[in-house]
Amino acid sequence: MKKMRMCFPREKTFVDGFEEYILDCKARNLREGTINHYRESVKQIYKRIPPDTPISSLNQQTMKDFYIALRDAPNLNEVSMGTYARDLKTLMRFFMKCGYIPHFEIQLPKADKAPIQKSLQIPARHNSVLSSVGFNSSRRTAM
């Protein structure tokens, strides 16, 4: 007679959860470009959260530490940081929906954007039309 063994399923890791998320994306018929975006983005996330991290250990502090690690990266611009933060938030919300981690509020960091100043360039042929509606193109302000 064979002996019975108790098998304990191993704890789901971040990489396991990510692959499950990709399957969910395919089931929802998301575009291949979207799925490729997540695959590329997770490479940057794995640099800050190891793939073998148990999903159950992810929490709000993980998110905060991730944001700090992004800011400390010398070659990342604000747009890339925001993209990776949003992608991690998406994964975390998926893990919450699946019941792998408890629900908690996820705040994305504010981007430090310098204001962009643009001057209004108006072609000369539009001056007569603009002046008829009260716009002075030489001063570039409304009257």
Side-chain angles (χ1 to χ4, degrees), residues 113-119:
K113 294 181 181 176
I116 299 172
Q117 294 186 353
K118 293 183 179 180
S119 63

Side-chain angles (χ1 to χ4, degrees), residues 3 6 11 24 29 32 41-42 47 56 64 74-75 82 87 90 94 99 119 137 140:
K3 289 184 181 180
M6 300 248 339
E11 190 169 2
D24 181 68
N29 201 26
E32 196 59 37
S41 185
V42 82
K47 290 180 181 179
S56 62
K64 291 175 185 176
N75 297 328
D87 292 343
T90 300
F94 175 76
S119 63
S137 63
R140 294 187 173 91

Side-chain angles (χ1 to χ4, degrees), residues 123-138:
R125 66 181 183 273
H126 296 297
N127 285 340
S128 62
V129 174
L130 291 172
S131 62
S132 69
V133 293
F135 189 84
N136 183 343
S137 63
S138 64

Side-chain angles (χ1 to χ4, degrees), residues 91-110:
L91 286 170
M92 296 287 271
R93 290 180 58 95
F94 175 76
F95 297 156
M96 289 177 200
K97 183 181 99 176
C98 292
Y100 300 146
I101 55 176
H103 286 268
F104 57 86
E105 188 67 29
I106 301 173
Q107 296 288 328
L108 290 176
K110 300 284 184 194

Side-chain angles (χ1 to χ4, degrees), residues 41-77:
S41 185
V42 82
K43 291 175 186 176
Q44 293 298 318
I45 295 171
Y46 286 159
K47 290 180 181 179
R48 290 144 186 99
I49 300 174
D52 59 346
T53 302
I55 292 176
S56 62
S57 71
L58 302 176
N59 55 34
Q60 283 180 317
Q61 189 60 46
T62 306
M63 296 297 294
K64 291 175 185 176
D65 293 342
F66 181 74
Y67 301 151
I68 291 168
L70 287 177
R71 284 197 187 106
D72 291 344
N75 297 328
L76 283 180
N77 64 34

